[in-house]
Amino acid sequence: MCTAITYQSGDFYFGRNLDLDRDYGERVTVMPRKFTFPMKCMPDLCEHYAMIGMAVVAEGCPLFFEATNEKGLSMAGLNFPDNAFYCKVEKGRLNLAPYELIPWLLGKCATLSEVKEAVKELNIVNIPFSESVPLSPLHWIIADKSGSLTVESMSDGLKIHENPWGVLSNNPPFDYHQINAEKFNLFKAPLPGDFSSETRFLRAAYLKEKSSPKESEDESVGQFFRILSLVSVPEGCVVKNGKPHFTRYSSCCNTDKGIFYYNRCGSFKIKKADMHDYDLEGKELLIPEST
């Protein structure tokens, strides 16, 4: 269970709630331009755009939940169980494992237009990071200030959707969410109040469309976190297989400035990390101390 949104308020903002049943030890992580990201089927990613986001670092490799690159392009992976389908390697295609999508696309692409060209050859392959880190069933939202895309690899093929809402949640697939949002009169009908993916999508779309731009950075970031708070999941409200699923953290990145804001479950304090405070020409991952 997760919700991602975009928000234009002077600068462009991108972020999400991460709703899971456990903590994975995720940290704010800066991947500088010369960090070597090892790839399964493609040449290792050695020189690329720098990026900042929330990641689990496994065997020295950042597995990003979401990130923004230095050009202002952002991407997040959200849980997509029972619908995600990954493929065999195909010669001549852009064969990427699910965990490689964020670093490769944000590393190689400066704009959403470039992403649209790159994903024409995309083949998301059924290769885990390691035996101890299995595949996660995901779909993705990719955005910059020009718009948003949703990418879904399903049993009937790869789906690339223009996302006019700038919002993504979980199951069902995006085309259902879009039809549902178009049918649901967001501005006249009472919004449902449960924590289902369909409801969170509708509520997030309504809230971001109704939210007016703010004058200052503090006001814009505050408004972004208020929107996320209204689609967050309190602990104890959703239980699956005997385990509570709730919002572990919320994030908001000013994509124009490369400033990553976040707060964790149980705290209203918003912390931040500015990617430009670090050596973006380096070869080693950077973990801001405040995380």
Side-chain angles (χ1 to χ4, degrees):
M1 298 176 64
C2 303
T3 311
I5 64 171
T6 63
Y7 180 51
Q8 185 73 55
S9 179
D11 289 336
F12 184 71
Y13 298 84
F14 178 95
R16 58 99 59 80
N17 288 332
L18 183 81
D19 308 331
L20 290 173
D21 64 347
R22 54 166 290 189
D23 187 301
Y24 285 88
E26 61 276 358
R27 305 283 299 277
V28 177
T29 303
V30 176
M31 189 171 100
R33 299 180 188 121
K34 294 180 181 179
F35 174 83
T36 297
F37 191 99
M39 307 292 290
K40 295 293 187 181
C41 303
M42 305 295 293
D44 287 351
L45 194 59
C46 299
E47 293 196 10
H48 46 78
Y49 295 123
M51 62 195 75
I52 185 170
M54 193 72 79
V56 174
V57 178
E59 300 176 17
C61 186
L63 309 181
F64 283 104
F65 291 105
E66 78 278 350
T68 294
N69 73 12
E70 61 186 291
K71 298 298 183 179
L73 183 67
S74 301
M75 186 170 178
L78 285 79
N79 200 28
F80 195 47
D82 303 321
N83 283 303
F85 180 87
Y86 303 137
C87 306
K88 295 180 180 179
V89 174
E90 293 185 24
K91 188 176 181 179
R93 300 284 300 279
L94 175 58
N95 294 293
L96 298 179
Y99 72 90
E100 296 174 335
L101 259 70
I102 290 178
W104 198 95
L105 288 172
L106 296 190
K108 292 289 189 179
C109 300
T111 65
L112 195 63
S113 295
E114 292 182 15
V115 170
K116 291 177 182 179
E117 288 300 311
V119 297
K120 289 179 180 178
E121 301 300 323
L122 178 61
N123 183 44
I124 305 178
V125 297
N126 188 30
I127 301 177
F129 176 75
S130 66
E131 289 185 3
S132 61
V133 183
L135 288 165
S136 297
L138 300 172
H139 61 172
W140 294 265
I141 181 171
I142 313 169
D144 65 12
K145 61 179 58 180
S146 72
S148 301
L149 289 180
T150 294
V151 175
E152 296 178 334
S153 182
M154 300 172 64
S155 59
D156 59 345
L158 184 70
K159 315 293 184 182
I160 310 295
H161 300 279
E162 294 282 350
N163 183 337
W165 306 99
V167 168
L168 190 62
S169 54
N170 311 107
N171 291 329
F174 180 76
D175 54 3
Y176 173 91
H177 285 298
Q178 183 157 344
I179 292 170
N180 192 42
E182 290 169 352
K183 286 182 177 179
F184 196 95
N185 193 329
L186 288 178
F187 302 105
K188 291 185 179 179
L191 289 172
D194 61 81
F195 296 106
S196 69
S197 176
E198 298 95 318
T199 291
R200 285 182 285 108
F201 189 102
L202 290 172
R203 198 155 62 236
Y206 171 83
L207 291 166
K208 64 161 288 188
E209 288 300 320
K210 295 292 283 185
S211 293
S212 58
K214 303 302 178 184
E215 294 185 2
S216 70
E217 176 76 352
D218 285 348
E219 289 175 317
S220 297
V221 172
Q223 184 74 338
F224 194 100
F225 277 98
R226 279 190 288 274
I227 295 170
L228 285 181
S229 73
L230 293 169
V231 289
S232 67
V233 181
E235 186 173 2
C237 292
V238 175
V239 178
K240 295 183 178 181
N241 299 319
K243 297 180 179 180
H245 288 242
F246 58 93
T247 301
R248 297 286 176 170
Y249 72 81
S250 300
S251 68
C252 165
C253 189
N254 180 324
T255 68
D256 293 297
K257 295 182 171 67
I259 303 174
F260 188 88
Y261 301 89
Y262 62 100
N263 65 8
R264 296 187 181 276
C265 173
S267 173
F268 292 105
K269 182 179 180 180
I270 297 173
K271 299 182 180 181
K272 71 176 183 179
D274 186 337
M275 70 187 300
H276 298 290
D277 286 344
Y278 301 90
D279 178 12
L280 299 185
E281 284 296 321
K283 296 182 178 180
E284 303 296 328
L285 289 179
L286 303 163
I287 310 295
E289 292 182 4
S290 64
T291 65

